[in-house]
């Protein structure tokens, strides 16, 4: 018993610290930090996206998965792409409390994910990467698909509509 308690304390400390360390390592490596969108802004993004029931939506850099979960009732399929394993597992854990069957979370680097089948792409990324993201979108997304960006805009691309910090772009 005397030995058991220190080991138990050590095990608890390790259980708490390890996810923080993994999170920190991946956060340093990823291009954009995790800053969750406020729920009222996610609602605005979803409204402005005008999602149809036969459409596939994707959040590139999905953080804790809130956009994916909140958009799922309006879409055929709702997909989250997240590089950080801690955030990916947090999304999957939070998904346990949702009854939606049309949600998929993938732990992937967004630069390696195809956007060919995506009708609505949600983004809350970082200003310095918007030119590179635009190139990827133009190369991969089909005409008529939309991109809904939180805060950041694309260079030389006029949004179809803008509502506060939410801009909607249409791929021609
Ligand atoms: C500003 S947060 C937005 C989170 C979420 N979309 C939201 O609006 O609440 C950006 C997210 O992108 C993720 N990220 C950064 N680089 C990434 C990459 N190369 N591939 C996938 N996700 C990435 C970060 O880990 C972070 O969770």
């Amino acid at each position: 018993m005397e030995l058991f308690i220190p080991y138990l304390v050590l095990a608890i400390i390790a259980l708490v610290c390890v996810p923080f360390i993994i999170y920190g390592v991946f956060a340093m490596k990823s291009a954009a930090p995790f800053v969750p969108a406020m729920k009222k802004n996610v609602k605005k993004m979803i409204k402005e996206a005008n999602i149809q029931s036969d459409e596939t939506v994707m959040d590139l850099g999905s953080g804790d998965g809130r956009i994916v979960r909140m958009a799922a009732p309006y879409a055929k399929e709702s997909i989250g792409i997240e590089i950080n394993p801690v955030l990916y597992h947090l999304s999957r854990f939070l998904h346990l409390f949702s009854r939606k069957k049309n949600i998929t979370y993938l732990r992937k680097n967004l630069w390696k994910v195809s956007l060919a089948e995506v009708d609505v792409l949600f983004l809350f990324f970082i200003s310095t990467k918007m030119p590179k993201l635009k190139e990827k979108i133009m190369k991969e997304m089909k005409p008529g698909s939309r991109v809904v960006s939180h805060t950041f805009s694309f260079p030389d691309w006029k949004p179809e509509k803008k509502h506060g910090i939410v801009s909607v772009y249409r791929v021609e």
Side-chain angles (χ1 to χ4, degrees), residues 30-33 35-37 59 61 63 67 82-83 87 108-110 124-125:
S30 68
V35 181
D59 183 16
I67 296 180
E82 176 54 55
I83 200 166
L87 294 170
K108 284 196 170 171
N109 185 342
L110 64 86
F124 179 16
F125 209 56

Side-chain angles (χ1 to χ4, degrees), residues 35-48:
V35 181
M38 284 164 71
K39 294 237 166 108
K40 66 169 189 186
N41 289 329
V42 178
K43 281 186 191 156
K44 210 186 276 181
M45 290 170 89
I46 289 167
K47 184 165 177 261
E48 295 297 332

